[in-house]
Amino acid sequence: MLSGLLPLAVAAANFETPVPLKGGDQLVQVEAPGYAAPTLFDLDGDGEKDLLVGQFNNGKIKVYPGKGEGKFGEGKFLKAGGEIAKIPGVW
């Protein structure tokens, strides 16, 4: 074992049990193939952090508006020019 590193079992005990997040009444999910890049950012400037979940499928981003107290509204895809925004070069 490397000096200063805790055994995995002890280190894992320091984390809370994961809980599913909801956006409105639905669970936050990602499209196949299932890779995501979640982040919190106040996208709309209302003082509440919104949940942005990057979808690996076509490079889309789903935005769940922050409602406060760790709650989020229904997720909608980020749009640009009235169309769902897609990041080039992603599947």
Side-chain angles (χ1 to χ4, degrees):
M1 183 168 87
L2 297 174
S3 176
L5 296 180
L6 295 174
L8 184 58
V10 174
N14 293 325
F15 291 98
E16 295 291 328
T17 303
V19 295
L21 291 175
K22 283 190 169 185
D25 294 330
Q26 303 292 319
L27 290 175
V28 173
Q29 297 183 353
V30 296
E31 297 176 346
Y35 303 109
T39 192
L40 293 171
F41 181 78
D42 184 8
L43 189 65
D44 54 12
D46 66 357
E48 298 293 342
K49 290 193 176 182
D50 307 305
L51 175 64
L52 286 73
V53 181
Q55 305 285 326
F56 196 72
N57 185 9
N58 290 317
K60 298 177 286 190
I61 299 173
K62 195 170 261 191
V63 179
Y64 298 85
K67 300 295 183 186
E69 299 181 9
K71 297 189 184 306
F72 300 96
E74 178 184 351
K76 297 185 183 202
F77 284 110
L78 182 69
K79 291 188 175 184
E83 300 290 326
I84 294 175
K86 296 181 182 177
I87 299 169
V90 179
W91 289 7

